[in-house]
Amino acid sequence: MPNVMIRDVPAADLEQIRSAAADQGVSLQAYLRDAVHTQAAQLRRRVAVARTAERLRGRDAVPETERQAVLEAIDDAHAERAEQLTDRPAT
């Protein structure tokens, strides 16, 4: 994995980032690595959404009843998973 250095970061910005890292109990390097990873993941999602939008351009929309059924199924699955996690014994 290549090393990357960022130059000319304003002192106030760097102090804010150092403070946030300390609040999370991690090193500055770990905090910045996680921030860069999060940004890269967001960029990958944007590319995937744009590709999907292009593929679907010109197609008919999903009927509202089907859309609502899918969203309700997702909500139900989230609620069920939350209940499973809440009911787990502490380790």
Side-chain angles (χ1 to χ4, degrees):
M1 183 180 307
N3 290 327
V4 178
M5 183 182 295
I6 301 173
R7 299 179 195 275
D8 302 324
V9 176
D13 292 348
L14 186 55
E15 186 52 41
Q16 187 72 43
I17 293 168
R18 278 191 176 122
S19 177
D23 289 347
Q24 291 184 15
V26 298
S27 68
L28 178 61
Q29 180 176 342
Y31 184 87
L32 290 172
R33 185 179 48 244
D34 289 347
V36 168
H37 177 73
T38 299
Q39 180 65 25
Q42 176 66 25
L43 294 171
R44 285 189 293 274
R45 283 191 294 273
R46 284 183 189 173
V47 168
V49 168
R51 246 184 313 200
T52 301
E54 183 60 34
R55 222 177 48 240
L56 296 176
R57 193 175 319 282
R59 293 191 180 191
D60 292 338
V62 174
E64 185 61 26
T65 55
E66 289 182 37
R67 181 181 169 285
Q68 284 302 319
V70 169
L71 293 174
E72 288 172 12
I74 291 170
D75 286 344
D76 291 346
H78 285 170
E80 182 179 327
R81 182 63 178 145
E83 188 173 314
Q84 290 170 352
L85 292 173
T86 302
D87 292 341
R88 286 187 353 189
T91 55

